[in-house]
Amino acid sequence: MPLGTWLRAGTSAAALVLGMAGTATAAPAPAPAPASTAPTAQAAVVTLRYDDSRAAGWESAIAAGVASWNANVSSVRLVEAAPGSAAEIVIVATTGWPQATLGPVRPGRQVRVELGSQAVDQGYNKTRIAAHELGHSLGLPDTKPGPCSQLMSGSSAGTACTNATPNTTERSRVQSTYASALAALAPANGRTLVDAP
């Protein structure tokens, strides 16, 4: 056989071997994960912004009240609004009794919280007041009279009560209100609740 024929045959054989080697080492495409191991979608957290720029003297009590709610419910998160931006919860300091619009407030809507110094002057705890009024914004009514263990018992628990943590029932109500997209879009009650004894 002439040399040219051997070279052509050898080149063709080498190309065939290299082509086969490439396909033999290629990894097969991964199989899709079974549906049971696919990650589940988490419910969206409803974010509500608060504006305390007109609540001078209450800043630390508001921060503690917000922290209490954020630590105890996961379906809604309270965050401070950026200066000059819109907020769902507007908090102001007043000289009267604390009061708030009964929610549940939803994104894009607005409720008002008034943190009144009259309650502080009579010996009520500022952090408990702030957390209680935020509870109204989240849709909780008063539960008066009630024990100190109920945040929403408000002033009926007496001036010695400093509890600013919602109890199991209060947490559960807020959690379920904001866990459902439909419930979170329900209109706020609109009533103003005055927390005088």
Side-chain angles (χ1 to χ4, degrees), residues 69 72-73 128 131-132 135 138-143 147-154 163-177:
W69 279 109
N72 284 285
V73 294
R128 178 172 167 83
H132 174 92
L138 298 175
L140 297 178
D142 286 315
T143 55
C148 183
S149 60
Q150 291 178 341
L151 176 60
M152 301 315 293
S153 67
N163 172 41
T165 304
N167 69 15
T168 303
T169 302
E170 294 162 335
R171 291 192 301 265
S172 178
R173 285 189 64 186
V174 171
Q175 184 70 21
S176 64
T177 295

Side-chain angles (χ1 to χ4, degrees), residues 120-137:
V120 177
D121 294 343
Q122 293 197 16
Y124 291 96
N125 179 269
K126 278 181 137 179
T127 300
R128 178 172 167 83
I129 293 169
H132 174 92
E133 300 306 328
L134 288 168
H136 287 321
S137 298

